Amino acid sequence: MFEARLVQSSILKKVLEAIKDLLNEATFDCSDSGIQLQAMDNSHVSLVSMNLRSDGFDKYRCDRNISMGMNLGSMTKILKCAANEDVVTMKAQDNADTVTFVFESPNQEKVSDYEMKLMNLDQEHLGIPETEYACVVRLPAGEFARICRDLSQFGESVVISCTKEGVKFSSAGDIGSANIKLAQTSNVDKEELAVTVEMQEPVTLTFASRYLNSFTKATSLSNVVQLSMSPDVPLVVEYRIGEIGHIRYYLAPKIED
Amino acid sequence: QNSQPQIIDFFQNI
């Protein structure tokens, strides 16, 4: 028996929003420790890795490990049926071929349940090595989304240059070029408004703006985004999911032909 | 011109 109850169904809606741009379907691996998802986008360019810890749920029970392959379009349809303030419970029997979503209004006067067929998905699991990154940048998630959106008007690529002074985002294309420099915040009153750089060595890398834009669909999950970069290894774009977990996106830098 | 490597080139299947 698997059962996971979240008082804030909006978290699940936001998680889905954060992955459905890149993935059409995904397997939710449920175990005693929580729910994990790892999947590459269709073109195998980026990787999404999400973790929701069992202790972050209001109720969590998982007697046996269960992998639930879900069509994210169908899941989106079902979660649209939940009000933001509803309590959501996901349930499945062991070896089940369906999952049930139960939505309860805060006053318990309306209870709905939706059963969704599960899919058998071919799963590739990738081992992600522990990496010491040359630069780790934290900045407001909304600012990062704005920068990615603004720069994607100029070119297909965004160059991210990180030094101890701050971080620069650049793009160039047919209409011209654009540079956005963010200085490291000198006086941090509110962490969620700060730009911070932890740097071992300066890094300049080029990334596909289309994928960066897809990653920013997670913006509503967190006030802060963390970018981890090293030469010749994938960028990690990480958003925390409240007190319950995180979502990380991996994207390899472009290389010059 | 830049080319885009796949993520699977960096992380191994387990």
Side-chain angles (χ1 to χ4, degrees):
Chain A
M1 173 80 182
F2 166 75
E3 189 172 343
R5 178 183 162 92
L6 257 184
V7 168
Q8 284 180 283
S9 64
S10 59
I11 289 182
L12 207 53
K13 288 186 179 198
K14 289 173 186 174
V15 164
L16 198 54
E17 193 62 33
I19 60 176
K20 72 182 173 66
D21 212 42
L22 289 166
L23 311 173
N24 297 324
E25 58 256 331
T27 300
F28 290 70
D29 292 312
C30 307
S31 70
D32 208 28
S33 59
I35 303 176
Q36 280 162 347
L37 178 155
Q38 194 205 71
M40 286 183 281
D41 70 279
N42 283 339
S43 50
H44 289 196
V45 167
S46 66
L47 179 79
V48 182
S49 169
M50 184 205 68
N51 184 24
L52 300 172
R53 288 187 311 274
S54 54
D55 60 16
F57 288 86
D58 302 287
K59 181 181 175 191
Y60 191 90
R61 174 182 167 188
C62 185
D63 300 335
R64 292 175 63 180
N65 290 1
I66 175 172
S67 290
M68 300 192 290
M70 300 202 203
N71 178 298
L72 299 181
S74 308
M75 194 177 167
T76 302
K77 286 180 185 170
I78 289 177
L79 282 174
K80 274 191 185 153
C81 304
N84 278 335
E85 61 275 14
D86 278 356
V87 177
V88 59
T89 304
M90 293 166 69
K91 284 184 193 176
Q93 300 295 330
D94 294 341
N95 303 315
D97 54 6
T98 61
V99 59
T100 301
F101 295 87
V102 181
F103 305 134
E104 298 165 72
S105 64
N107 58 13
Q108 304 276 320
E109 283 172 356
K110 179 180 175 186
V111 180
S112 346
D113 66 87
Y114 298 84
E115 193 181 70
M116 187 176 83
K117 290 174 191 157
L118 294 175
M119 308 168 74
N120 265 326
L121 300 173
D122 278 337
Q123 283 212 92
E124 277 183 292
H125 263 285
L126 300 181
I128 300 167
E130 284 285 317
T131 307
E132 287 282 322
Y133 288 96
C135 290
V136 176
V137 181
R138 288 185 196 87
L139 71 154
E143 182 70 88
F144 180 61
R146 177 73 199 255
I147 289 168
C148 292
R149 192 191 72 190
D150 290 350
L151 291 188
S152 62
Q153 302 183 101
F154 287 83
E156 291 175 1
S157 301
V158 172
V159 179
I160 305 180
S161 300
C162 185
T163 64
K164 64 178 186 302
E165 283 79 29
V167 59
K168 185 173 84 169
F169 301 86
S170 310
S171 189
D174 293 342
I175 64 167
S177 63
N179 294 290
I180 301 169
K181 289 180 209 166
L182 295 181
Q184 184 159 201
T185 313
S186 50
N187 193 342
V188 183
D189 282 341
K190 289 187 176 169
E191 199 205 344
E192 65 265 28
L193 299 176
V195 176
T196 63
V197 178
E198 287 168 29
M199 194 203 75
Q200 313 301 321
E201 54 172 321
V203 174
T204 296
L205 295 167
T206 304
F207 299 101
S209 44
R210 185 163 76 86
Y211 284 92
L212 297 179
N213 263 322
S214 290
F215 303 163
T216 64
K217 302 289 181 195
T219 301
S220 62
L221 282 168
S222 178
N223 292 323
V224 178
V225 60
Q226 177 172 299
L227 314 178
S228 303
M229 290 174 286
S230 274
D232 307 320
V233 302
L235 159 79
V236 191
V237 178
E238 176 175 338
Y239 297 84
R240 285 185 61 178
I241 304 173
E243 295 301 310
I244 180 168
H246 63 252
I247 183 161
R248 293 181 184 140
Y249 303 93
Y250 296 84
L251 176 66
K254 287 187 168 186
I255 46 176
E256 280 187 41
D257 287 331
Chain B
Q1 270 296 312
N2 292 312
S3 65
Q4 175 67 62
Q6 291 195 319
I7 200 74
I8 204 158
D9 299 336
F10 294 84
F11 300 146
Q12 293 202 328
N13 261 309
I14 50 171

